[in-house]
Amino acid sequence: MRGNPAIAANGATVVLREDAGKTIIEAHGDWTIDTIGRVDAPIRQVEASVEPDKIVIDLSHLGRLDTSGAYMLGRATRRCGIPDGDFHYIGEHPTARRLIEEIRQRTQVCPPETPPGFGFGNALGRIGAGLEAALSETVETIGFFGQTITTGLRTLVRPSSFRLTSAIWAMEEVGVNAMPIVAVLSFFIGSVVAYMGANLLADFGFAIFSVELIGISVLREFAVLITAILLAGRSDSAFTASIGAMKMQQEIDAMRVLGLDPFEVLVLPRVVACVLMAPLLTFAAMITGIFGGMLVAWSAQDISPAVFIARIHSELDWSHFWVGMSKAPVFGLVVAIIGCRQGMKVAGDVESLGRRVTASVVQSIFIVIVIEALFAMMYLELGI
């Protein structure tokens, strides 16, 4: 019999001895998180040099034991095919074996991460992982949209369950508070379009046609697109941040415990607010965009406001206005769905919140651009 003690004045102590071809780990003292650091090296030595089926743990002299100490003791036999077998233990302790088995079942040893490669196969692997992630995001977003629609239909059956106060608050945040930045940006977009018309059309003697250029571009495309992008950058991130903060503080779990549906309380009012306020913001963007173009046409091309307005009325069809307005509710719905879904996906840490806010804005802008292109092709085929 050979002893190899790791002695400490207080706390954990381990004695390693051999008996009948077995290596016995004899645990002494209290194995807690404050004391087990001094016995880590002997346990690792046994793990590296002894077959796991020949390791025996002696619990006769063990004192107090917490989860850290149980993990360290159980680590020695983890590689064995039967890590919790009776042949691994001698001596008695009221809780040690049960705690060691419980810790082993609830922990998983992960292999070290392999550094990323740079070969062609690794590049294909990363592309495939990205496509799989994109497909998963698409499926989950469609599922979230379906659940929101189901909640909305259920609310139509029971109108008293609709959170009117939350919806009005969201309308103020989405619409009223966003009006100044939408109006200012659209004003400058209209001005830029007018300057482009002044530079290009004046060379051919067609400066008057800059009125149609401003009107069609602002009414059909720029007003609604700028509104949607600003909603994605401003309101969408706010939705994700507010819902994500509630998720981190377990307020959403508390809602479910109280019998409240988070979709009914948090998601549906924001979706309704975006769908209703997006057309109003788009209309404001149209007015300010045309006004900015009119001022530039007046100053740069000497087209008076009276002539500008008269030509708008006489040459532009109402279809241009309705084309732009028809896109607004769709963009508002998309922005709200993505923002709320990303907020509901936030985990319990600030890093997750930051990633979800970024993903919310990026996904919203990307999908808005894609839908805008689909609308343009559809209206082109319909001749509208």
Short mmCIF file of all heavy atoms in Angstrom, two decimals, residues 47 66-79 83-84 98-111:
data_model
loop_
_atom_site.label_atom_id
_atom_site.label_comp_id
_atom_site.label_asym_id
_atom_site.label_seq_id
_atom_site.Cartn_x
_atom_site.Cartn_y
_atom_site.Cartn_z
N GLU A 47 -6.53 10.92 -13.35
CA GLU A 47 -7.27 10.85 -14.62
C GLU A 47 -6.35 10.53 -15.79
O GLU A 47 -6.71 9.75 -16.68
CB GLU A 47 -7.96 12.20 -14.89
CG GLU A 47 -9.12 12.52 -14.01
CD GLU A 47 -9.76 13.83 -14.43
OE1 GLU A 47 -10.43 13.84 -15.50
OE2 GLU A 47 -9.57 14.84 -13.75
N ASP A 66 -20.18 20.10 -1.85
CA ASP A 66 -21.08 20.89 -2.71
C ASP A 66 -20.94 20.43 -4.15
O ASP A 66 -20.26 19.45 -4.44
CB ASP A 66 -20.81 22.39 -2.56
CG ASP A 66 -19.43 22.80 -3.06
OD1 ASP A 66 -18.69 21.93 -3.57
OD2 ASP A 66 -19.08 24.00 -2.94
N THR A 67 -21.61 21.13 -5.07
CA THR A 67 -21.62 20.69 -6.46
C THR A 67 -20.23 20.73 -7.10
O THR A 67 -19.90 19.89 -7.94
CB THR A 67 -22.59 21.55 -7.29
OG1 THR A 67 -22.24 22.94 -7.13
CG2 THR A 67 -24.02 21.35 -6.82
N SER A 68 -19.40 21.71 -6.70
CA SER A 68 -18.05 21.79 -7.26
C SER A 68 -17.21 20.58 -6.83
O SER A 68 -16.52 19.97 -7.66
CB SER A 68 -17.37 23.08 -6.81
OG SER A 68 -18.10 24.20 -7.23
N GLY A 69 -17.28 20.24 -5.55
CA GLY A 69 -16.55 19.08 -5.08
C GLY A 69 -17.07 17.80 -5.68
O GLY A 69 -16.29 16.88 -6.02
N ALA A 70 -18.40 17.69 -5.86
CA ALA A 70 -18.97 16.49 -6.47
C ALA A 70 -18.52 16.37 -7.92
O ALA A 70 -18.23 15.26 -8.40
CB ALA A 70 -20.50 16.55 -6.39
N TYR A 71 -18.43 17.48 -8.63
CA TYR A 71 -17.95 17.42 -10.02
C TYR A 71 -16.51 16.93 -10.08
O TYR A 71 -16.16 16.10 -10.92
CB TYR A 71 -18.06 18.80 -10.66
CG TYR A 71 -17.44 18.86 -12.03
CD1 TYR A 71 -18.10 18.35 -13.14
CD2 TYR A 71 -16.17 19.41 -12.22
CE1 TYR A 71 -17.52 18.39 -14.40
CE2 TYR A 71 -15.58 19.45 -13.47
CZ TYR A 71 -16.27 18.94 -14.56
OH TYR A 71 -15.68 18.98 -15.80
N MET A 72 -15.66 17.44 -9.17
CA MET A 72 -14.26 17.03 -9.19
C MET A 72 -14.09 15.56 -8.85
O MET A 72 -13.31 14.84 -9.50
CB MET A 72 -13.44 17.90 -8.23
CG MET A 72 -11.96 17.57 -8.24
SD MET A 72 -10.97 18.74 -7.31
CE MET A 72 -11.10 20.17 -8.37
N LEU A 73 -14.82 15.04 -7.86
CA LEU A 73 -14.72 13.63 -7.52
C LEU A 73 -15.24 12.76 -8.67
O LEU A 73 -14.63 11.76 -9.04
CB LEU A 73 -15.50 13.33 -6.25
CG LEU A 73 -14.77 13.57 -4.92
CD1 LEU A 73 -15.71 13.35 -3.75
CD2 LEU A 73 -13.54 12.69 -4.79
N GLY A 74 -16.37 13.13 -9.24
CA GLY A 74 -16.94 12.34 -10.32
C GLY A 74 -16.16 12.41 -11.60
O GLY A 74 -16.30 11.54 -12.47
N ARG A 75 -15.33 13.44 -11.74
CA ARG A 75 -14.53 13.59 -12.96
C ARG A 75 -13.56 12.43 -13.16
O ARG A 75 -13.23 12.07 -14.28
CB ARG A 75 -13.77 14.91 -12.89
CG ARG A 75 -13.25 15.42 -14.22
CD ARG A 75 -12.57 16.75 -14.02
NE ARG A 75 -11.38 16.60 -13.18
CZ ARG A 75 -10.73 17.62 -12.62
NH1 ARG A 75 -11.20 18.85 -12.78
NH2 ARG A 75 -9.66 17.42 -11.90
N ALA A 76 -13.11 11.85 -12.06
CA ALA A 76 -12.11 10.79 -12.16
C ALA A 76 -12.67 9.55 -12.85
O ALA A 76 -11.95 8.83 -13.55
CB ALA A 76 -11.59 10.44 -10.77
N THR A 77 -13.96 9.26 -12.69
CA THR A 77 -14.55 8.05 -13.26
C THR A 77 -15.44 8.34 -14.46
O THR A 77 -16.12 7.44 -14.96
CB THR A 77 -15.38 7.32 -12.19
OG1 THR A 77 -16.42 8.19 -11.73
CG2 THR A 77 -14.51 6.92 -11.00
N ARG A 78 -15.45 9.57 -14.94
CA ARG A 78 -16.37 9.94 -16.02
C ARG A 78 -16.08 9.16 -17.30
O ARG A 78 -17.01 8.83 -18.06
CB ARG A 78 -16.26 11.44 -16.29
CG ARG A 78 -17.23 11.95 -17.35
CD ARG A 78 -17.00 13.42 -17.64
NE ARG A 78 -17.40 14.24 -16.52
CZ ARG A 78 -18.63 14.72 -16.36
NH1 ARG A 78 -19.56 14.43 -17.25
NH2 ARG A 78 -18.93 15.47 -15.33
N ARG A 79 -14.82 8.84 -17.57
CA ARG A 79 -14.46 8.16 -18.81
C ARG A 79 -14.83 6.68 -18.81
O ARG A 79 -14.76 6.01 -19.85
CB ARG A 79 -12.96 8.32 -19.08
CG ARG A 79 -12.54 9.75 -19.36
CD ARG A 79 -11.04 9.84 -19.64
NE ARG A 79 -10.25 9.49 -18.47
CZ ARG A 79 -9.42 8.45 -18.41
NH1 ARG A 79 -9.27 7.66 -19.46
NH2 ARG A 79 -8.73 8.19 -17.32
N PRO A 83 -19.85 4.83 -15.15
CA PRO A 83 -19.23 5.78 -14.22
C PRO A 83 -19.82 5.76 -12.82
O PRO A 83 -19.16 6.17 -11.87
CB PRO A 83 -19.45 7.13 -14.90
CG PRO A 83 -20.65 6.93 -15.76
CD PRO A 83 -20.58 5.52 -16.23
N ASP A 84 -21.06 5.29 -12.66
CA ASP A 84 -21.72 5.31 -11.35
C ASP A 84 -21.85 3.92 -10.75
O ASP A 84 -22.68 3.70 -9.86
CB ASP A 84 -23.11 5.94 -11.49
CG ASP A 84 -23.04 7.38 -11.99
OD1 ASP A 84 -22.14 8.10 -11.54
OD2 ASP A 84 -23.87 7.76 -12.83
N ARG A 98 -25.20 10.32 -4.52
CA ARG A 98 -26.36 10.88 -5.20
C ARG A 98 -26.02 12.22 -5.86
O ARG A 98 -26.43 12.50 -7.00
CB ARG A 98 -27.51 11.05 -4.21
CG ARG A 98 -28.82 11.51 -4.87
CD ARG A 98 -29.99 11.42 -3.91
NE ARG A 98 -29.87 12.39 -2.82
CZ ARG A 98 -29.59 12.07 -1.57
NH1 ARG A 98 -29.39 10.81 -1.23
NH2 ARG A 98 -29.52 13.00 -0.64
N LEU A 99 -25.23 13.05 -5.18
CA LEU A 99 -24.87 14.35 -5.73
C LEU A 99 -23.89 14.19 -6.91
O LEU A 99 -24.00 14.89 -7.92
CB LEU A 99 -24.25 15.23 -4.65
CG LEU A 99 -23.94 16.68 -5.03
CD1 LEU A 99 -25.21 17.38 -5.51
CD2 LEU A 99 -23.34 17.43 -3.84
N ILE A 100 -22.94 13.26 -6.80
CA ILE A 100 -22.00 13.03 -7.89
C ILE A 100 -22.73 12.56 -9.14
O ILE A 100 -22.47 13.03 -10.26
CB ILE A 100 -20.92 12.01 -7.46
CG1 ILE A 100 -20.00 12.62 -6.40
CG2 ILE A 100 -20.11 11.55 -8.66
CD1 ILE A 100 -19.04 11.64 -5.79
N GLU A 101 -23.67 11.64 -8.99
CA GLU A 101 -24.44 11.15 -10.14
C GLU A 101 -25.29 12.25 -10.75
O GLU A 101 -25.40 12.37 -11.97
CB GLU A 101 -25.31 9.97 -9.70
CG GLU A 101 -24.53 8.74 -9.28
CD GLU A 101 -25.42 7.66 -8.70
OE1 GLU A 101 -26.66 7.81 -8.84
OE2 GLU A 101 -24.90 6.70 -8.13
N GLU A 102 -25.88 13.08 -9.89
CA GLU A 102 -26.72 14.17 -10.39
C GLU A 102 -25.90 15.18 -11.18
O GLU A 102 -26.29 15.63 -12.26
CB GLU A 102 -27.42 14.85 -9.22
CG GLU A 102 -28.42 15.93 -9.61
CD GLU A 102 -29.69 15.36 -10.19
OE1 GLU A 102 -29.95 14.14 -10.02
OE2 GLU A 102 -30.44 16.12 -10.83
N ILE A 103 -24.73 15.53 -10.66
CA ILE A 103 -23.87 16.50 -11.36
C ILE A 103 -23.40 15.93 -12.69
O ILE A 103 -23.34 16.63 -13.71
CB ILE A 103 -22.68 16.89 -10.47
CG1 ILE A 103 -23.17 17.69 -9.25
CG2 ILE A 103 -21.67 17.70 -11.25
CD1 ILE A 103 -23.89 18.96 -9.61
N ARG A 104 -23.07 14.65 -12.73
CA ARG A 104 -22.60 14.05 -13.97
C ARG A 104 -23.71 14.06 -15.04
O ARG A 104 -23.45 14.29 -16.21
CB ARG A 104 -22.13 12.62 -13.74
CG ARG A 104 -21.59 11.96 -15.01
CD ARG A 104 -21.14 10.54 -14.79
NE ARG A 104 -19.95 10.48 -13.96
CZ ARG A 104 -19.91 10.04 -12.72
NH1 ARG A 104 -21.04 9.63 -12.14
NH2 ARG A 104 -18.79 10.01 -12.04
N GLN A 105 -24.93 13.82 -14.63
CA GLN A 105 -26.04 13.80 -15.58
C GLN A 105 -26.35 15.19 -16.13
O GLN A 105 -26.85 15.32 -17.25
CB GLN A 105 -27.29 13.21 -14.92
CG GLN A 105 -27.16 11.73 -14.59
CD GLN A 105 -28.36 11.22 -13.80
OE1 GLN A 105 -29.31 11.96 -13.56
NE2 GLN A 105 -28.32 9.95 -13.40
N ARG A 106 -26.05 16.21 -15.34
CA ARG A 106 -26.41 17.57 -15.74
C ARG A 106 -25.25 18.36 -16.34
O ARG A 106 -25.39 19.54 -16.62
CB ARG A 106 -26.97 18.34 -14.54
CG ARG A 106 -28.29 17.77 -14.05
CD ARG A 106 -28.82 18.54 -12.85
NE ARG A 106 -30.09 17.98 -12.40
CZ ARG A 106 -31.29 18.33 -12.86
NH1 ARG A 106 -31.35 19.24 -13.82
NH2 ARG A 106 -32.38 17.79 -12.41
N THR A 107 -24.11 17.73 -16.52
CA THR A 107 -22.97 18.39 -17.15
C THR A 107 -22.54 17.59 -18.36
O THR A 107 -22.76 16.38 -18.44
CB THR A 107 -21.79 18.52 -16.17
OG1 THR A 107 -21.42 17.23 -15.68
CG2 THR A 107 -22.14 19.43 -15.03
N GLN A 108 -21.93 18.27 -19.27
CA GLN A 108 -21.47 17.65 -20.50
C GLN A 108 -20.08 18.16 -20.82
O GLN A 108 -19.83 19.37 -20.84
CB GLN A 108 -22.41 17.96 -21.66
CG GLN A 108 -22.00 17.31 -22.97
CD GLN A 108 -22.98 17.63 -24.09
OE1 GLN A 108 -23.94 18.36 -23.88
NE2 GLN A 108 -22.73 17.09 -25.27
N VAL A 109 -19.17 17.25 -21.04
CA VAL A 109 -17.80 17.62 -21.38
C VAL A 109 -17.72 17.86 -22.87
O VAL A 109 -18.01 16.96 -23.68
CB VAL A 109 -16.81 16.52 -20.95
CG1 VAL A 109 -15.39 16.91 -21.35
CG2 VAL A 109 -16.90 16.28 -19.45
N CYS A 110 -17.37 19.08 -23.24
CA CYS A 110 -17.29 19.44 -24.66
C CYS A 110 -15.84 19.38 -25.12
O CYS A 110 -14.93 19.83 -24.40
CB CYS A 110 -17.82 20.85 -24.88
SG CYS A 110 -19.56 21.05 -24.41
N PRO A 111 -15.59 18.85 -26.29
CA PRO A 111 -14.22 18.83 -26.81
C PRO A 111 -13.77 20.24 -27.14
O PRO A 111 -14.59 21.14 -27.39
CB PRO A 111 -14.34 17.97 -28.07
CG PRO A 111 -15.76 18.11 -28.49
CD PRO A 111 -16.55 18.24 -27.22
#
